[in-house]
Amino acid sequence: MKPGRAPHRAPPTPPIAPSADPAGATGQCAAPRWPCLSSGASGVRLAVSVVPNARRTGADGLHDGALRVRLAAPPVDGKANEMLLAWLAAELGLPRRSIRLVRGDSARRKTIEIDAAAEYVARWLGVCLGGAPDVK
């Protein structure tokens, strides 16, 4: 570097504003702060721990880095998987086709890919679970 010259620095990048649309039209997303969320090939991936044969269907907090979901369906012939995907679609306000099971077809621990912005899913988790992430 020559004397008297300031080093070249790139201008700071502005923060990404949270997207109001679930599809994430910008294609950019900030790193999720929830341990159950990660970036996927075409959206965001959600790690889910399923408890079948529950009295009611609903989210029940975080467990071992995954969202625990209790399902009022038996784990027979894919009924629990289908109920899980339909419940997530209804909760997120997305069409059923934008939510796919990518791993864990016959296991309690599942990975689901959602065609939505990470901020949108993180905001839903905050509302659904009542605030900041807590790992049990």
Side-chain angles (χ1 to χ4, degrees), residues 10-56:
T13 56
I16 299 170
S19 176
D21 75 311
T26 61
Q28 298 177 340
C29 60
R33 64 183 177 99
W34 293 88
C36 55
L37 281 181
S38 63
S39 296
S42 65
V44 66
R45 288 194 175 194
L46 179 66
V48 178
S49 177
V50 174
V51 180
N53 288 327
R55 288 188 178 181
R56 63 175 177 81

Side-chain angles (χ1 to χ4, degrees), residues 49-111:
S49 177
V50 174
V51 180
N53 288 327
R55 288 188 178 181
R56 63 175 177 81
T57 298
D60 194 30
L62 294 175
H63 176 72
D64 194 26
L67 175 67
R68 177 176 277 171
V69 177
R70 297 189 184 275
L71 294 173
V76 178
D77 298 328
K79 290 180 183 178
N81 288 340
E82 198 49 48
M83 178 175 256
L84 172 66
L85 299 177
W87 176 79
L88 272 172
E91 283 286 310
L92 289 166
L94 297 171
R96 167 63 185 82
R97 69 181 174 271
S98 61
I99 298 178
R100 292 172 302 287
L101 181 67
V102 292
R103 188 178 315 153
D105 189 44
S106 61
R108 288 183 181 227
R109 185 72 179 244
K110 303 179 184 301
T111 303

